[in-house]
Amino acid sequence: MGKQGRIKTVSFALFLVVLFQCKFLAVAILDPLDFLALQSIRKSLHDLPGSTFFASWDFTSDPCNFAGVYCDSDRVVALNLGDPRAGSPGLTGRIDAAIGKLSALAELSIVPGRIYGSLPQSTSQLKELRFLAISRNFISGDIPATLGQLRSLKTLDLSYNQLTGEIPRSIGTLPELTNVILCHNHLSGSVPPFLSQVLNRLDLKHNALTGSLAPDSLPPSLQSLSLSWNQLTGPVDRLLSRLDQLSYLDLSLNQFTGPIPGRLFSFPISNLQLERNLFSGSIQPADQVTISTIDLSHNRLSGQISPMLSTVQNLYLNNNRFTGQVPASIVEQLLSGNIQILYLQHNYLTGIEIKPTAEIPVSSSLCLQYNCMVPPLQTPCPFKAGNEKTRPTAQCIEWKG
């Protein structure tokens, strides 16, 4: 080999050394604790068939270029595990305790998949964490009470898992919480007070929660509250009267008692779901109601139906104890097509001013059966309404008496 050839060979060898050093330095840029933590997390999680999320996780290259890893300088600040595209198979395995070593982490999320095991206690070491979302997996065990140490946490979403035990009271003390989504688990015990004055959304539906709610247990900043499908009890009128920012309210399928406050109907709510409880008393909105859907069915509400409800688009008042005449303004709105659903079956109503020849718009539904009157016109009712057209006279006399 000539002199020129030997020089080329040495230069190429030096190039390879420099290239290797650069590659090594690229890896070394990341904080060593973060690097080791990512390795442990990778070993405990795997792609489900059809997922290629971890294909880019080659630890001979810069981890800050891995899918779902976001760095600020030499620290990992966000970890979004799994392909976020709709229909992605997701990941399986356990969350390694090394997650707690990512001490600069502000955001942690895992896409829907088959992650199992408990949420590591070490998660509470992530003092900078603001966003924690691991939904639609198979996380089990208790919610660590030590999550109450995450004083910067804004969003907590552990919905659609297999969590058990009580909601730690420490969670309710977090001052920056804006969203708490723990629905579709197996949580029991009472709803803890939430002290955050910036809480916007609280979703605890489909659990096994019990007990009552204190009048000051939830902040007036709430815009969306869902507690349906639990076993909650007691009155909520004083609590609800304070929540004047609500745009969505679902307390259905519980055992709440007492009156429904009239001022609730003036809140900026678009959907009000209070069905299948033990609410009692009359419904007395102060002004014309602008809520588009109201479901008060299957309660113990009584008195006359307020004409202030004539502007509701979908109105479910069935299976209560309402009496008297159906207001003329409600009939007028039904016939004009402004009311699309009017369910009044299974009450003690005694009359409705509507001609037997009246035509209900095709887009509207009316059900009147099983009241203290003969329905002036036959309309299709839900299957669950039964076949009896009128309530037995004896029941009507007894109720009137």
Side-chain angles (χ1 to χ4, degrees):
M1 183 184 294
K3 185 177 179 182
Q4 192 173 7
R6 285 198 299 274
I7 292 173
K8 284 185 177 179
T9 302
V10 171
S11 298
F12 182 67
L14 285 172
F15 170 75
L16 290 177
V17 169
V18 171
L19 180 64
F20 176 80
Q21 286 179 335
C22 287
K23 212 168 188 184
F24 175 77
L25 286 172
V27 172
I29 287 174
L30 188 65
D31 182 277
L33 286 178
D34 284 16
F35 181 84
L36 293 172
L38 288 176
Q39 281 191 319
S40 297
I41 292 165
R42 172 64 187 94
K43 288 175 183 176
S44 66
L45 295 175
H46 312 280
D47 281 305
L48 282 168
S51 173
T52 58
F53 175 75
F54 282 123
S56 67
W57 282 48
D58 174 5
F59 284 92
T60 63
S61 61
D62 184 0
C64 292
N65 293 326
F66 291 178
V69 178
Y70 302 88
C71 301
D72 183 6
S73 185
D74 64 339
R75 304 304 307 275
V76 176
V77 295
L79 191 58
N80 306 134
L81 296 172
D83 187 341
R85 290 176 296 184
S88 169
L91 309 175
T92 186
R94 293 175 177 269
I95 305 170
D96 194 275
I99 195 79
K101 300 294 185 182
L102 298 173
S103 56
L105 202 64
E107 179 178 324
L108 172 59
S109 67
I110 302 179
V111 301
R114 300 192 69 84
I115 305 296
Y116 54 88
S118 59
L119 187 66
Q121 290 281 347
S122 60
T123 308
S124 60
Q125 298 171 16
L126 304 174
K127 305 303 183 187
E128 303 298 320
L129 200 64
R130 296 193 297 271
F131 184 89
L132 175 57
I134 307 173
S135 65
R136 296 181 186 274
N137 277 279
F138 293 84
I139 303 295
S140 59
D142 293 353
I143 299 173
T146 50
L147 290 186
Q149 298 172 17
L150 304 179
R151 308 307 287 177
S152 298
L153 195 65
K154 295 180 180 294
T155 292
L156 175 62
D157 183 356
L158 300 175
S159 58
Y160 293 88
N161 279 290
Q162 306 290 325
L163 294 165
T164 54
E166 299 191 0
I167 302 171
R169 291 182 70 86
S170 59
I171 300 291
T173 68
L174 294 173
E176 303 295 328
L177 276 180
T178 56
N179 300 287
V180 177
I181 310 166
L182 301 175
C183 59
H184 289 270
N185 279 286
H186 307 295
L187 298 169
S188 56
S190 59
V191 177
F194 283 88
L195 306 182
S196 169
Q197 295 304 304
V198 290
L199 187 64
N200 288 330
R201 180 183 177 188
L202 179 61
D203 189 346
L204 306 178
K205 65 176 175 284
H206 282 268
N207 278 289
L209 300 169
T210 56
S212 57
L213 301 173
D216 58 352
S217 60
L218 300 177
S221 57
L222 268 178
Q223 296 178 17
S224 176
L225 175 60
S226 182
L227 302 176
S228 63
W229 289 89
N230 281 287
Q231 298 153 37
L232 298 165
T233 56
V236 289
D237 52 316
R238 290 171 60 194
L239 170 66
L240 293 179
S241 293
R242 296 174 57 252
L243 306 181
D244 58 1
Q245 301 300 309
L246 283 174
S247 60
Y248 179 86
L249 177 61
D250 187 354
L251 304 183
S252 61
L253 291 120
N254 280 285
Q255 298 167 40
F256 289 120
T257 57
I260 298 172
R263 70 186 303 257
L264 178 67
F265 296 94
S266 65
F267 293 171
I269 299 174
S270 60
N271 197 321
L272 178 60
Q273 306 284 335
L274 301 180
E275 71 271 17
R276 295 185 183 275
N277 278 283
L278 302 172
F279 288 119
S280 58
S282 59
I283 300 299
Q284 298 177 328
D287 298 299
Q288 209 69 49
V289 179
T290 58
I291 304 171
S292 60
T293 296
I294 294 179
D295 193 341
L296 307 180
S297 64
H298 295 272
N299 278 287
R300 297 177 177 177
L301 300 168
S302 57
Q304 299 204 354
I305 296 173
S306 170
M308 297 298 178
L309 296 172
S310 63
T311 41
V312 178
Q313 196 171 359
N314 303 296
L315 184 58
Y316 302 84
L317 300 179
N318 53 287
N319 295 80
N320 277 288
R321 300 171 180 178
F322 289 113
T323 55
Q325 290 262 339
V326 178
S329 57
I330 289 183
V331 176
E332 182 182 329
Q333 292 298 312
L334 174 73
L335 295 177
S336 64
N338 293 326
I339 293 180
Q340 294 187 353
I341 295 176
L342 180 59
Y343 282 178
L344 303 175
Q345 68 269 24
H346 287 257
N347 278 288
Y348 292 82
L349 299 169
T350 53
I352 179 171
E353 290 189 19
I354 188 170
K355 295 178 181 179
T357 55
E359 290 189 10
I360 308 294
V362 176
S363 60
S364 300
S365 298
L366 169 68
C367 185
L368 289 171
Q369 70 186 50
Y370 211 72
N371 275 286
C372 296
M373 61 175 172
V374 176
L377 70 170
Q378 299 301 315
T379 54
C381 284
F383 177 76
K384 290 183 179 179
N387 296 319
E388 296 183 77
K389 298 301 179 187
T390 60
R391 185 179 286 277
T393 304
Q395 288 186 18
C396 295
I397 293 173
E398 182 183 351
W399 186 251
K400 193 174 181 180

